Amino acid sequence: MAKALLKYKNYDVHSITTVSPLGQINANIATWVMQSAMQGKYITVALYKTDYTIALVRESMILNVNLLAKDQAKKLIPKLGRKSGRTSNKFVNLPFEMDERGCPYLTEAIGYIQCRCVGSIDSGDHELFVCEVLTQKVLNPDKEVLTNDYLRAEGLVRG
């Protein structure tokens, strides 16, 4: 029953970008991101345990949470959500820049939150990372937020 009820929830769609201490970069698609402290001081990010992104986050404990825009959906969902960074460079032909920590962010996103992971907890097939918000940057304020409902309506995700 709970699974059916949760299907009614509409989540914003993000890309988590990260870098390892050796300079390896990766990006994925994530919908389970939430503010977890008043005044936006902490957020919690759920990362799928088998993804390459989580391996890099565990090494560096830094990431950027990029809030995606609707106009990015058709390009980014197949590229970041259906391919592994272990076997392909997801950043080829993807507009991005590096922050002062050497962590990538997506320049066509609405904006990004620069984070430092302060802890994690097992959550079944995902791991929850509690992240201190270092800064928030709005890049494209006039764009419309990409949501899971939009992805379903466009046939870009199941369910």
Side-chain angles (χ1 to χ4, degrees):
M1 289 289 227
K3 184 176 181 181
L5 180 63
L6 292 175
K7 290 287 186 182
Y8 288 94
K9 292 184 62 65
N10 188 22
Y11 300 94
D12 295 340
V13 181
H14 306 82
S15 174
I16 308 303
T17 51
T18 191
V19 61
S20 77
L22 298 176
Q24 300 154 304
I25 59 175
N26 200 51
N28 73 353
I29 298 295
T31 54
W32 298 331
V33 174
M34 67 176 225
Q35 183 175 324
S36 52
M38 299 297 277
Q39 301 166 349
K41 293 181 181 182
Y42 290 90
I43 62 173
T44 300
V45 178
L47 296 176
Y48 191 50
K49 287 182 180 176
T50 62
D51 284 351
Y52 184 50
T53 300
I54 197 172
L56 301 183
V57 169
R58 285 177 180 149
E59 290 177 23
S60 67
M61 297 302 280
I62 65 171
L63 58 86
N64 287 326
V65 176
N66 301 267
L67 180 59
L68 299 182
K70 275 187 179 179
D71 67 358
Q72 295 180 281
K74 291 187 174 137
K75 179 179 177 183
L76 293 188
I77 297 305
K79 184 174 195 118
L80 303 183
R82 296 189 186 130
K83 294 181 180 179
S84 172
R86 287 183 178 93
T87 57
S88 65
N89 180 351
K90 293 183 178 185
F91 289 90
V92 172
N93 299 320
L94 182 64
F96 75 98
E97 291 183 20
M98 299 290 207
D99 66 20
E100 66 278 0
R101 305 169 304 164
C103 188
Y105 63 90
L106 306 179
T107 57
E108 292 181 348
I110 292 172
Y112 69 99
I113 304 168
Q114 193 179 78
C115 298
R116 179 179 67 87
C117 302
V118 296
S120 69
I121 187 168
D122 182 66
S123 183
D125 58 4
H126 282 65
E127 187 171 337
L128 303 179
F129 287 85
V130 176
C131 302
E132 177 185 13
V133 172
L134 304 175
T135 189
Q136 300 179 52
K137 306 244 178 168
V138 177
L139 303 172
N140 299 291
D142 296 328
K143 289 189 173 189
E144 193 171 347
V145 174
L146 177 60
T147 65
N148 208 39
D149 280 355
Y150 178 82
L151 294 179
R152 280 196 285 271
E154 293 295 314
L156 295 169
V157 294
R158 290 170 289 188

